[in-house]
Amino acid sequence: MTSMTIRAGLALMLAPLLLASCVRAPDNTLPKLNVDPARVKVAGLSSGAYMATQSHMAWPDVFSGAALVAGGPWGCAKGELATALGTCMKGVPAPDVKALASRARADASVGKLGPLRDLADDRIYVLHGKDDDRVAASVSKAAAQFYEALRAEDSALASMTVIWDGDRNFGHNLPVAVSGEDCRASVEPYLGRCGFDAAGEIFDKLYGPAPASAKSPSGELLRFDQHRLRPDGRDAFLADTGYAYVPKACRSGAECGVLVVFHGCKQNAESVGETFVREAGFNRWADVYHVAVLYPQTRASYAPLNPQACWDWWGYSGADYDTRAGVQQQWLIRALAALGVARAQADIQQP
């Protein structure tokens, strides 16, 4: 057999692998969209809910609303894993909401968080299942009470709306309408077949009543290189690939909102594939509301200790994890700027 024949054979053998690699490779960058700055919101489940409230508090000039599913108040863990596992999951002892609100005001006064006045007119939706055996209802309730405490201490925040939804029967998962696992269970991929469309409810509470009924998604689910957005090259402890769902109207230049959705622990793509980013229900409502959905992805690690690929809500990425200077918050603001959120671009130089 000649060397040319061998090379040809190897090329034929490797061609499918090379092709598959090209298909899987993420786009280098996020698409620049025509973003309505008043319609940029954030949502998350479990550790993603903690990340959502951290993002909302860090960048209230960017986000005008937050939806928290099975997550507690901003600053709950105070940088301590033991507190995270006790107070911030089991509610023993209970989160000190007034103390957390006081710390938030102090951090905002020195620029560690965004100006709290920008929380005015925001809508906060806190959803918790009565069958949740991972996060106590009192912890989620404390998330709502945290925002209420901020509002009570500042008349400028009187127009902020806080909605508590804790009377539905579902476990530690994100309820979906028809597919998913046992509604009352807490098993991967943490999408519960509950006959209740949590994604639709989140859109309704954050963006208002739906202008039309939702059908199958017709936009694009894009993959992008998350490492290109590292702040000053620092590791944000994210996966190689992130996802973004872009409705056709947004891709064509129409003015659109942006919803950032943070997955929960063990719900990242490395753990559940594309199940969450495809089947959680947000994409079909994104078409109806003309809202692009950003799905950042974490990665599991043992140094720092984060084997379940949680978002940082106790300090594994550094002591400033729940402030503007946190590396994951700095990554996020760069991702939003890449999508076309003008206020995020202005904030990049203001950690």
Side-chain angles (χ1 to χ4, degrees):
M1 185 178 294
T2 67
S3 60
M4 183 175 296
T5 303
I6 293 173
R7 287 196 298 271
L10 287 172
L12 288 172
M13 292 171 62
L14 292 173
L17 296 175
L18 293 172
L19 179 59
S21 176
C22 291
V23 170
R24 288 195 299 269
D27 293 334
N28 284 333
T29 59
L30 288 163
K32 184 80 73 173
L33 305 177
N34 180 15
V35 176
D36 179 353
R39 301 179 70 232
V40 181
K41 322 277 186 175
V42 63
L45 168 66
S46 193
S47 76
Y50 275 107
M51 184 65 176
T53 191
Q54 288 170 187
S55 301
H56 188 210
M57 294 297 295
W59 314 108
D61 51 336
V62 173
F63 294 110
S64 59
L68 317 177
V69 184
W74 172 87
C76 184
K78 303 176 184 177
E80 300 174 355
L81 181 57
T83 302
L85 296 176
T87 294
C88 307
M89 290 187 69
K90 302 305 180 185
V92 181
D96 187 339
V97 171
K98 289 185 177 180
L100 295 176
S102 178
R103 182 197 149 199
R105 287 190 289 271
D107 281 3
S109 71
V110 294
K112 291 183 178 180
L113 301 178
L116 296 190
R117 64 178 181 273
D118 287 327
L119 294 171
D121 300 323
D122 285 11
R123 296 178 66 82
I124 295 91
Y125 175 48
V126 182
L127 175 63
H128 190 89
K130 293 170 69 176
D131 301 307
D132 192 328
D133 60 359
R134 304 288 179 87
V135 176
S138 61
V139 173
S140 281
K141 185 69 173 178
Q145 293 168 338
F146 167 78
Y147 283 102
E148 290 168 348
L150 291 176
R151 182 178 59 193
E153 292 293 327
D154 189 346
S155 60
L157 302 182
S159 57
M160 181 171 63
T161 301
V162 183
I163 304 165
W164 164 249
D165 187 348
D167 293 326
R168 302 179 190 269
N169 293 314
F170 65 92
H172 190 72
N173 58 55
L174 183 77
V176 293
V178 293
S179 60
E181 305 300 319
D182 181 353
C183 180
R184 298 190 175 190
S186 300
V187 296
E188 293 182 11
Y190 302 102
L191 299 177
R193 187 177 62 255
C194 302
F196 164 56
D197 186 356
E201 197 71 17
I202 287 170
F203 267 97
D204 176 80
K205 294 298 187 292
L206 296 186
Y207 291 97
S213 59
K215 301 177 182 178
S216 297
S218 59
E220 299 176 89
L221 183 65
L222 307 175
R223 290 173 287 178
F224 67 96
D225 182 354
Q226 295 194 132
H227 296 318
R228 289 178 64 93
L229 298 167
R230 284 185 174 192
D232 302 321
R234 290 181 294 156
D235 189 357
F237 308 102
L238 303 184
D240 294 341
T241 301
Y243 295 83
Y245 179 79
V246 183
K248 287 182 178 179
C250 303
R251 195 65 152 163
S252 299
E255 189 174 56
C256 286
V258 172
L259 175 65
V260 178
V261 176
F262 293 114
H263 60 72
C265 300
K266 296 197 297 185
Q267 203 179 34
N268 59 325
E270 182 182 23
S271 300
V272 302
E274 295 183 351
T275 302
F276 181 74
V277 300
R278 290 187 181 276
E279 299 179 17
F282 293 101
N283 299 344
R284 63 196 191 100
W285 288 109
D287 287 345
V288 172
Y289 282 87
H290 288 187
V291 169
V293 185
L294 179 67
Y295 295 104
Q297 299 290 306
T298 58
R299 71 173 191 267
S301 66
Y302 287 94
L305 186 62
N306 182 31
Q308 297 186 354
C310 302
W311 289 98
D312 188 5
W313 58 284
W314 70 85
Y316 70 74
S317 68
D320 53 6
Y321 69 99
D322 59 358
T323 73
R324 284 187 166 207
V327 68
Q328 291 183 349
Q329 291 301 331
Q330 285 290 302
W331 180 93
L332 174 62
I333 210 67
R334 283 160 175 75
L336 290 170
L339 272 174
V341 179
R343 183 60 250 185
Q345 181 64 52
D347 278 335
I348 285 177
Q349 303 304 322
Q350 302 177 40

